[in-house]
Amino acid sequence: MGELSEGLTQVLIPVAALIGIGFALLQWFLVSKVRVSAVADYNGRDNGHKSSLLGDAELETGVRVPEVTAKCAEIQHAISVGATSFLFTEYRYLSIFMGVFGVIIFLFLGSVKGFSTKSEPCTYNEGNLCKPALANAVFSTIAFLLGALTSVLSGFLGMKIATYANARTTLEARKGIGKAFVIAFRSGAVMGFLLAANGLLVLYVAINLFKLYYGDDWEGLYESITGYGLGGSSMALFGRVGGGIYTKAADVGADLVGKVEQNIPEDDPRNPAVIADNVGDNVGDIAGMGSDLFGSYAESSCAALFVASISSFGLNHDYTAMSYPLIISSMGIVICMITTLFATDIFEIKYENQIEPSLKRQLLISTVLMTVGIAIVSFFALPSEFTLYNFGGSKVVKNWHLFFCVAIGLWAGLVIGYITEYFTSNAYSPVQDVADSCRTGAATNVIFGLALGYKSVIIPIFAIAVAIYVSFSLAAMYGIAVAALGMLSTIATGLAIDAYGPISDNAGGIAEMAGLRHEIRERTDALDAAGNTTAAIGKGFAIGSAALVSLALFGAYVSRAGIKTVNVMTPKVFIGLIVGAMLPYWFSAMTMKSVGSAALKMVEEVRRQFNTIPGLLEGTGKPDYANCVKISTDASLKEMIPPGALVLLAPLIAGTLFGVETLAGVLAGSLVSGVQVAISASNTGGAWDNAKKYIEAGITEHAVSLGPKGSDAHKAAVIGDTVGDPLKDTSGPSLNILIKLMAVESLVFAPFFAAHGGLIFKLF
């Protein structure tokens, strides 16, 4: 069995990360070749690409082409400015939170041994001396800040590339659907690869810098690295909740007044909330999603590294085997590069019905190739036999066992992706049944949609259950951690098809606002309907991986807190269990109500403008877009604090007041109920959205019979879509962060809870 040498491992990981960043920059360069400024291109610079965008001087609904291009550029600029200013405001608030929470981590962990600077005997590696608890406090805080910064950067870069690409996608749609698809997909790939490579690179650099201090004490080193995951996810939580409230307040407001009351089409420039709606797609679906998946990635890496450090990898100081999670991620970046070429260069898209299969093919190709990649990594990076920590005992494992753990996580992800697609794509019967139920009004639509969401939970849960059972039987807690990593190993491709959705959504909005020809709006709608489904697939991945990640973190927490077994029959644990299962509902109640009250303000503002601005509906008066943007911004910044506080304080309160066992119950309860609520919410919302798109597109006879835009069935579908918006874009996706964040936070604070927790039970 050949094993990689330590030196080669040290080189391969950063090289893979840099290749990923290089590939992202290449894709960005290819996107930037589409020019958006109209004038320069149009003055007849005839060097072969005078017609790069403009084709021949075709007439667009009576508007000369340069004006259309200028209009697109102007709308793109407005969206970009809105998104950037919102994110900067949000990050200002978050920087205060980072500072405060960093201090809390330092004080809690430093107080474990009364801030002493003496070396301690190790927890797991008996007989050796480890670095003091104070060092753990300092380095956990640094790792937390690093994770938070990388998370914020991931979201911000994603938003920048998305607002850069949206108008380019619109303009390319004039040449044909294939061209537009490639631009949207390439821009998604930029985000996917930047995020995967950045996450890997920062983690790798952090480990090597921490090593300068920790030296041989790997146990302390990897325990403090868990702060990286905590930082990533806590930023993701606020990004997801804040962005989700922003985007849905605007969306619900724009839909209810525009489409249902005033009967004007979606994204009509007369609608005052239309800019806020398109900004929202970028701050919620792109920036929020980026931070979210980065958080999952960081946490599954941290969980795997921590469990490995207390196993034979850590005790024997086998650097290559220890870095197995990082090598898998490096392999993932390379595999995803090959997969991306299939979408952009090998297969060309000519018809609208090829879009969705092409995106699905991305998932399949990356999964198949990655399976081979994992086999190679497991063969070369792992010793043929080793022991893994298993709750006080140890378990002898062979390297092919770990191959199966990672592979089953990877394939479970594919199953969840495909099932999500089946339940949310308008090509299949579930969504068509929901659309059909709109004949009898909004009530039946809502009933069918809810039923669809609950039903869509069944198979993903079985997939997660099988993955958990197999990986745990083969390799204990480490198996589950690497299964989560397997699911996220193709994160670059997953994010590319996910970010593709909001980019095409924006492209459609720009086409409508700039007054492009009807058939161009049809092309962007086809891109967008596929994008809805891929966004649902992305959420499915995020939720599935969150379940596995939190289980791995839960195992790491249980071992770190020194709990021998978690017994459900003890009242301490059971009360934790039942309260933990309630938390996702409390959290969803907060986020849904926030969207509702923000949407209420938005509806009132849009109505006010339609009633008071003269000539707004006729198209002679100009709407006040800025006011709507301000409503969304203020609402989301104010409303993101209570849900965030709930998630961050719950583990701290449970651990400090009720002790480690009750907290173990809380984590198990929130994991079990959170996954169900999250999957059903995302899929219900996605199905309602696509049922509406199915009726609007009118491709089949069935869809035509349900009526054109503005028919009763269509209005019922719009109401369903509006109800589903906060479900699929605010509470659903934020719940997976709730599950992960509580688990990783408990792990980081475990030394404190084990030393000082359970105040209430100590008093009585």
Side-chain angles (χ1 to χ4, degrees):
M1 300 296 292
E3 252 202 273
L4 285 173
S5 67
E6 176 168 341
L8 193 57
T9 310
Q10 288 276 24
V11 174
L12 283 177
I13 296 171
V15 163
L18 292 170
I19 289 176
I21 292 173
F23 186 72
L25 295 176
L26 169 72
Q27 297 294 331
W28 181 75
F29 169 71
L30 291 170
V31 172
S32 70
K33 282 183 145 170
V34 178
R35 288 199 180 72
V36 175
S37 57
V39 190
D41 256 356
Y42 202 67
N43 293 342
R45 292 198 351 260
D46 204 357
N47 50 2
H49 63 246
K50 163 191 153 198
S51 57
S52 69
L53 270 188
L54 308 166
D56 307 312
E58 51 184 343
L59 290 174
E60 297 276 357
T61 54
V63 189
R64 299 254 336 147
V65 173
E67 291 168 29
V68 169
T69 316
K71 188 92 205 271
C72 285
E74 180 194 334
I75 299 164
Q76 177 193 21
H77 180 70
I79 294 174
S80 183
V81 168
T84 310
S85 71
F86 170 72
L87 285 182
F88 272 131
T89 319
E90 181 179 71
Y91 295 156
R92 270 215 303 282
Y93 281 80
L94 288 183
S95 58
I96 302 168
F97 160 77
M98 272 162 63
V100 173
F101 205 70
V103 172
I104 292 178
I105 295 177
F106 176 73
L107 293 177
F108 270 55
L109 291 179
S111 70
V112 171
K113 291 285 193 287
F115 296 97
S116 86
T117 50
K118 289 201 298 292
S119 290
E120 320 262 328
C122 297
T123 322
Y124 299 101
N125 195 355
E126 282 96 10
N128 292 13
L129 280 183
C130 283
K131 299 288 190 219
L134 190 64
N136 188 15
V138 173
F139 282 101
S140 289
T141 311
I142 296 173
F144 166 76
L145 296 174
L146 271 177
L149 287 170
T150 316
S151 185
V152 161
L153 186 71
S154 304
F156 187 74
L157 287 175
M159 182 281 299
K160 273 294 184 212
I161 179 69
T163 51
Y164 182 80
N166 49 19
R168 289 174 164 77
T169 307
T170 310
L171 293 168
E172 284 287 276
R174 298 149 70 176
K175 294 198 211 158
I177 193 138
K179 295 266 198 277
F181 171 79
V182 168
I183 289 289
F185 189 81
R186 280 192 203 282
S187 336
V190 177
M191 178 185 178
F193 283 95
L194 276 182
L195 189 138
N198 272 342
L200 179 63
L201 198 58
V202 176
L203 184 56
Y204 170 80
V205 171
I207 290 173
N208 281 334
L209 291 179
F210 285 17
K211 225 189 213 102
L212 299 176
Y213 169 79
Y214 277 104
D216 276 349
D217 171 17
W218 283 21
E219 190 182 298
L221 164 69
Y222 289 105
E223 189 175 304
S224 58
I225 282 284
T226 49
Y228 183 68
L230 176 62
S233 261
S234 49
M235 292 298 112
L237 176 74
F238 290 108
R240 225 1 167 171
V241 174
I245 293 170
Y246 185 106
T247 172
K248 290 304 121 180
D251 198 355
V252 171
D255 281 359
L256 280 181
V257 185
K259 292 198 293 202
V260 178
E261 292 177 13
Q262 302 286 350
N263 257 336
I264 57 178
E266 188 164 1
D267 296 319
D268 190 292
R270 293 170 293 184
N271 193 332
V274 67
I275 293 283
D277 183 8
N278 280 302
V279 169
D281 289 335
N282 292 302
V283 296
D285 296 350
I286 296 258
M289 189 69 194
S291 293
D292 177 3
L293 276 174
F294 165 75
S296 275
Y297 165 76
E299 280 165 1
S300 58
S301 306
C302 292
L305 290 168
F306 175 73
V307 178
S309 71
I310 57 182
S311 304
S312 65
F313 297 162
L315 307 182
N316 306 339
H317 288 192
D318 181 344
Y319 181 81
T320 306
M322 189 66 224
S323 307
Y324 180 65
L326 300 180
I327 304 173
I328 284 189
S329 306
S330 317
M331 187 57 134
I333 291 176
V334 177
I335 296 285
C336 289
M337 279 169 50
I338 302 168
T339 311
T340 304
L341 297 176
F342 278 96
T344 54
D345 300 294
I346 297 176
F347 297 116
E348 201 186 336
I349 287 194
K350 294 192 174 63
Y351 306 106
E352 297 182 356
N353 56 5
Q354 293 175 317
I355 302 170
E356 216 169 276
S358 173
L359 292 165
K360 265 169 62 182
R361 204 182 302 130
Q362 284 286 296
L363 281 180
L364 187 63
I365 294 170
S366 63
T367 304
V368 172
L369 292 178
M370 192 63 203
T371 310
V372 181
I374 297 165
I376 297 169
V377 171
S378 307
F379 188 76
F380 284 114
L382 295 170
S384 54
E385 193 169 275
F386 40 91
T387 58
L388 289 175
Y389 176 84
N390 184 12
F391 299 120
S394 63
K395 184 176 174 69
V396 178
V397 178
K398 294 186 165 42
N399 56 7
W400 58 267
H401 288 169
L402 280 192
F403 160 72
F404 277 112
C405 294
V406 185
I408 197 151
L410 179 67
W411 284 89
L414 184 73
V415 168
I416 293 175
Y418 270 34
I419 290 299
T420 310
E421 197 246 359
Y422 173 72
F423 277 103
T424 55
S425 160
N426 51 26
Y428 303 103
S429 60
V431 169
Q432 293 174 5
D433 290 346
V434 171
D436 191 60
S437 70
C438 293
R439 293 174 193 282
T440 43
T444 40
N445 182 23
V446 170
I447 295 169
F448 269 72
L450 286 173
L452 175 143
Y454 297 145
K455 194 175 165 191
S456 69
V457 176
I458 303 167
I459 297 178
I461 292 295
F462 278 122
I464 293 171
V466 170
I468 289 169
Y469 185 78
V470 172
S471 50
F472 192 89
S473 332
L474 289 173
M477 266 311 159
Y478 188 64
I480 291 179
V482 292
L485 209 73
M487 197 179 279
L488 290 166
S489 59
T490 51
I491 185 173
T493 296
L495 257 172
I497 65 172
D498 199 0
Y500 156 88
I503 292 172
S504 355
D505 192 350
N506 259 223
I510 293 175
E512 182 76 49
M513 283 186 270
L516 269 72
R517 291 199 312 276
H518 176 64
E519 69 214 54
I520 289 175
R521 178 71 221 226
E522 278 183 355
R523 285 174 195 162
T524 54
D525 270 352
L527 290 173
D528 182 18
N532 265 337
T533 303
T534 59
I537 292 177
K539 285 166 196 150
F541 261 89
I543 296 163
S545 64
L548 290 175
V549 170
S550 5
L551 189 59
L553 291 164
F554 176 68
Y557 158 76
V558 168
S559 56
R560 185 63 193 85
I563 306 171
K564 287 286 171 276
T565 53
V566 180
N567 181 1
V568 184
M569 292 316 294
T570 46
K572 271 187 197 178
V573 176
F574 194 82
I575 57 168
L577 203 60
I578 200 160
V579 169
M582 174 274 296
L583 289 176
Y585 291 91
W586 189 357
F587 180 82
S588 299
M590 283 179 170
T591 47
M592 296 282 286
K593 190 150 189 295
S594 304
V595 172
S597 57
L600 202 69
K601 292 194 192 91
M602 187 67 80
V603 166
E604 281 164 1
E605 170 62 20
V606 175
R607 277 182 189 156
R608 183 193 68 75
Q609 293 199 23
F610 273 122
N611 292 334
T612 57
I613 298 178
L616 181 53
L617 256 182
E618 291 69 45
T620 49
K622 270 193 88 91
D624 178 2
Y625 296 128
N627 226 356
C628 291
V629 172
K630 187 175 181 313
I631 288 180
S632 259
T633 305
D634 295 349
S636 61
L637 292 174
K638 192 173 97 251
E639 302 277 1
M640 75 183 183
I641 296 163
L646 171 75
V647 178
L648 286 164
L649 293 176
L652 288 178
I653 292 170
T656 312
L657 297 181
F658 298 95
V660 284
E661 291 181 338
T662 306
L663 178 54
V666 169
L667 294 180
S670 67
L671 165 63
V672 167
S673 90
V675 174
Q676 330 288 339
V677 182
I679 295 178
S680 63
S682 307
N683 290 352
T684 292
W688 275 327
D689 196 340
N690 271 344
K692 175 203 70 177
K693 287 243 173 15
Y694 172 75
I695 294 178
E696 287 177 352
I699 294 172
T700 61
E701 284 178 24
H702 175 229
V704 175
S705 72
L706 292 168
K709 291 186 184 182
S711 70
D712 284 348
H714 177 248
K715 280 190 174 171
V718 170
I719 290 173
D721 174 32
T722 312
V723 175
D725 272 336
L727 284 172
K728 80 173 195 304
D729 288 327
T730 314
S731 24
S734 315
L735 277 173
N736 65 59
I737 307 178
L738 167 137
I739 308 168
K740 295 179 307 204
L741 187 54
M742 284 173 53
V744 74
E745 188 184 358
S746 309
L747 174 60
V748 171
F749 286 105
F752 172 80
F753 297 147
H756 304 297
L759 298 179
I760 287 188
F761 295 131
K762 282 177 184 162
L763 293 175
F764 297 116

